[in-house]
Amino acid sequence: MSSTQSPVRSASRAGDDEQRGTAIAVDHLVKTYTSDHGDAHPRAVDDVSLAIEYGEFFTLLGPSGCGKTTTLRSIAGLEKPDSGEIELAGQVVYSSRSRINLPSDRRRIGMVFQSYAIWPHMSVFENAAFPLRVEPRGRRRSERAIREAVEEALEVVELTPFALRGATQLSGGQQQRLALARAMVAHPQVMLLDEPLSNLDAKLRDSMRVELKRLQARSGFTAVYVTHDQTEALAMSTRIAVMNAGVIQQVDSPRAIYEHPANAFVAGFIGRMNFLTAKVLAVSENGEDGVELTVDAGVGVPVRARSAQRRSLDEEVTLCVRPEGIGLLPPRESSTGHARGTVLSVQFLGESTEYIIRVRETTLIIRAEASVRFERGGEVDVEFALGGTWVVGR
Ligand code: ADP
Ligand code: MG
């Protein structure tokens, strides 16, 4: 493979034909850390497989300690896995079976971490140039080529006017953009971003999210993004892999993850959710959106809900309902299909109002438009609409 004209290289350049296919393939990756005493810990990454397409903004999402960083560092070649295989742009960079483990600097990746590690004694320009200055002798570029590459990278992150400043004279957001420029300067095929925005304040974080997406659109790199922030993941990703305890729970589009979580962990981790213990009363076949069920969730009326999997009659399941997936109506004489509840609390949130409603033995969090108004202590009819309900296994 020619190193200057590889398809990988051209894929990272804006304006070139879009590449199709798998940019990153992770196959049955396992990584265990051993303590200083030699005892094996539980698997930090436990049989993770992923196929990430060119140009994706792919997010690893999960709680602290679930194995996101270890997965990312294994892709980068900074961590040696126990077993499995990793391919970048069709090239095997790690394989336990074939005993391949390409060093990090030969994997053509850019990396940005939470602590963006800008060198304070260097100028903005020299910070961005650094990866090119430390390239192996055989590959090192001319001073002119380095200058061109750095100027291009600084322009992309809009730091051109700051090139000659000391790096510490930049604001937090600018320093993070500089870290991005440095990661992109060698036109990596893949950008690995490990919680890169978590050190920024909330407002800056929001604008950097937009910035990052813009950068990606412009440079065309494939991004693997790590975060424990579900809002960030939902907003930025083409697809999300939700992880827990080293295991991938679900890989899907943000919308599918939110609306059709694969299990109770995903449902609870992504946004707020009401969980109701339920029993299947009826099953009817359905189309693309899965099976349609009628369940008894202990609210006094049968509730219709969809499920990705077939369920059997009388099976115990968990009914998941988002706070915004429940309707509130004034109580009616004959409220067929509606459950009757009592308003325990009302919290006005501006564009919406959050209610806590008691229905028999169940307490529900319900988010309604601000125009909907009920008083604390009053009665309401609660409507479970198909589309707002979802069933997972117990
Ligand atoms: P995340 O990035 O999702 O927070 P990590 O990949 O950092 O998770 O960690 C996964 C698991 O591996 C955790 O239990 C963590 O304590 C452990 N771990 C991570 N790095 C090391 C290390 N260098 N030595 C020992 N255990 C580690
Ligand atoms: Mg981490």
Side-chain angles (χ1 to χ4, degrees), residues 33-34 41 44-45 62-71 79 194-195 226:
Y33 294 101
T34 41
H41 288 232
V45 173
S64 174
C66 74
K68 305 180 296 292
T69 294
T70 305
T71 304
E79 211 68 74
D194 194 349
E195 315 229 10
V226 161

Side-chain angles (χ1 to χ4, degrees), residues 32 77-78 143 154 187 215 276 282:
T32 317
L78 297 172
E143 194 56 38
L154 290 180
H187 288 285
L215 275 183
L276 284 74

Side-chain angles (χ1 to χ4, degrees), residues 42-114:
R43 289 175 167 188
V45 173
D46 190 358
D47 199 18
V48 161
S49 297
L50 297 167
I52 301 169
E53 307 293 301
Y54 284 103
E56 271 206 88
F57 197 105
F58 190 94
T59 298
L60 299 176
L61 172 69
S64 174
C66 74
K68 305 180 296 292
T69 294
T70 305
T71 304
L72 207 67
R73 287 174 57 85
S74 300
I75 295 171
L78 297 172
E79 211 68 74
K80 188 169 184 287
D82 302 354
S83 60
E85 193 164 292
I86 301 170
E87 272 185 34
L88 296 175
Q91 185 190 11
V92 178
V93 296
Y94 170 76
S95 167
S96 51
R97 202 154 35 93
S98 315
R99 297 178 175 279
I100 293 169
N101 190 18
L102 215 63
S104 187
D105 61 1
R106 291 182 54 203
R107 295 194 186 189
R108 309 184 66 98
I109 43 189
M111 277 177 283
V112 182
F113 300 104
Q114 181 175 352

